[in-house]
Amino acid sequence: MEFFRIKKDIPFMRHALIFNVISLITFVAAVFFLATRGLHFSIEFTGGTVLEVNYATAPQLEPIRKALSNDGFVDFQVQNFGSSRDVMIRLPNREGESSAQISERVKATLAKVEGPTAELRRVEFVGPQVGKELASDGGLALLLVVAGIVAYLAVRFEWRLAVSAIVANLHDVVIILGFFAFFQWEFSLPVLAAVLAVLGYSVNESVVVFDRVRETFRNSRKRGLSVEEVIDHAITSTISRTMITHGSTEMMVLSMLVFGGPTLFYFALALTIGILFGIYSSVLVAAPLAKWLGVKREQFIIQPKKKEEAVV
């Protein structure tokens, strides 16, 4: 389905060098912030105290968050689980305070919140060891996804296109992590899930563009086009699909970002950054990189095999 058809190819490759320089600066800045500031891990990775609270009727979560913030709690999470009457509160470890002391403080805070009375059902201490295991498992999941994508691209494409797509995908992941390091946004398990989702989403966009590049190279009616013109034609012909696909996806993600509340905020934020940079990297990172690596028509034309003459 095409909402519109662009008759004249847009000359993306004319500005390829400028976009590559911008991408390189952004990438280096992201690596710098990751190295100097690091990620602000949530209590799922660092350990902390988890409290399970039950109410007779469904409470409003925002007053609970505001009361905890006013009483000096930071980096906490308040969310429903199971039903709208059950609330889970996660708090990071604090020096000089045990889980019992923290739970008593939280109980005192919840007692001041207007509405139904809170009943503390469970207090659980999440040790740093659990957090380390989660961090190592999350890192392993990320490595496995990257390895799977590398293997898939290596089988599907000629090596120049495969390397370009891999670099573009890693570019997206590093940029997302760089944003979280620079602003010190909380990096939690949902954010890790968003990063893994962006990897799959971004590689799909690169595959679509490079499939069209390969088709255009093999099209006998396009033999007169240069490499830059072939790439411009391939990208231009996918713009309608790109706008429909990413526009509808971005609308859904922005809905989560605006209306999803604190629980989904950073998850939706990571997806938003990842989708925007996924589009950018597929068009203005991967395609120019393929050009610099020397992609050309002869690499995609299958030469007919010469028939061996029978010896009489």
Side-chain angles (χ1 to χ4, degrees):
M1 182 175 68
E2 283 186 310
F3 280 167
F4 55 88
R5 185 182 292 275
I6 302 174
K7 295 181 180 177
K8 189 176 180 181
D9 293 340
I10 302 171
F12 292 102
M13 292 302 101
R14 186 184 298 171
H15 311 289
L17 183 59
I18 298 172
F19 285 118
N20 278 176
V21 171
I22 293 172
S23 300
L24 182 61
I25 293 172
T26 312
F27 184 87
V28 171
V31 173
F32 173 77
F33 291 126
L34 276 171
T36 55
R37 295 192 175 193
L39 293 172
H40 174 45
F41 290 106
S42 69
I43 65 168
E44 290 136 332
F45 296 105
T46 60
T49 303
V50 179
L51 294 90
E52 186 181 316
V53 184
N54 177 263
Y55 289 85
T57 58
Q60 295 293 320
L61 298 185
E62 200 52 41
I64 297 174
R65 295 189 181 104
K66 191 174 181 181
L68 289 170
S69 180
N70 291 339
D71 281 355
F73 291 100
V74 294
D75 296 336
F76 56 82
Q77 296 177 3
V78 179
Q79 62 188 97
N80 287 113
F81 78 100
S83 73
S84 59
R85 295 185 293 108
D86 296 313
V87 176
M88 181 176 287
I89 301 172
R90 292 174 173 160
L91 299 148
N93 288 326
R94 292 164 64 100
E95 288 188 11
E97 275 189 319
S98 64
S99 292
Q101 290 172 318
I102 291 175
S103 67
E104 288 301 319
R105 284 187 57 200
V106 172
K107 282 174 64 178
T109 301
L110 296 179
K112 292 186 285 185
V113 179
E114 293 183 3
T117 304
E119 180 187 350
L120 187 62
R121 289 280 180 86
R122 178 172 65 99
V123 178
E124 187 174 315
F125 174 71
V126 180
Q129 185 59 35
V130 177
K132 286 181 181 176
E133 290 177 4
L134 280 173
S136 61
D137 290 347
L140 180 62
L142 187 62
L143 284 176
L144 288 175
V145 171
V146 171
I149 289 174
V150 169
Y152 167 70
L153 292 173
V155 171
R156 175 153 187 161
F157 289 115
E158 190 266 347
W159 73 267
R160 294 168 185 83
L161 297 186
V163 169
S164 304
I166 291 165
V167 171
N169 271 259
L170 294 179
H171 166 273
D172 299 340
V173 172
V174 172
I175 293 296
I176 295 173
L177 297 179
F179 268 100
F180 274 77
F182 178 73
F183 292 104
Q184 287 294 288
W185 293 330
E186 188 179 65
F187 190 88
S188 58
L189 282 177
V191 175
L192 177 61
V195 172
L196 295 177
V198 166
L199 266 173
Y201 192 89
S202 179
V203 76
N204 179 60
E205 184 65 20
S206 300
V207 166
V208 169
V209 172
F210 283 161
D211 265 343
R212 195 58 59 91
V213 169
R214 187 167 54 184
E215 289 172 11
T216 309
F217 271 130
R218 289 175 176 171
N219 190 334
S220 58
R221 291 178 297 177
K222 306 289 183 185
R223 284 180 182 171
L225 298 181
S226 65
V227 172
E228 289 83 0
E229 289 171 333
V230 166
I231 296 175
D232 288 340
H233 176 76
I235 296 172
T236 304
S237 62
T238 61
I239 283 183
S240 178
R241 172 216 169 261
T242 299
M243 293 185 69
I244 295 170
T245 305
H246 298 298
S248 54
T249 308
E250 196 60 53
M251 284 173 62
M252 179 271 293
V253 173
L254 286 176
S255 299
M256 281 199 296
L257 185 68
V258 177
F259 304 110
T263 305
L264 294 176
F265 182 77
Y266 289 119
F267 172 74
L269 188 60
L271 283 177
T272 302
I273 297 170
I275 290 172
L276 293 177
F277 274 91
I279 302 168
Y280 167 80
S281 66
S282 299
V283 175
L284 299 170
V285 176
L289 193 57
K291 177 191 150 188
W292 306 135
L293 289 175
V295 68
K296 52 187 178 182
R297 175 172 288 100
E298 290 73 16
Q299 296 151 1
F300 301 93
I301 305 288
I302 301 173
Q303 300 293 338
K305 293 182 179 178
K306 293 183 180 178
K307 292 183 180 179
E308 295 182 0
E309 295 182 0
V311 178
V312 178

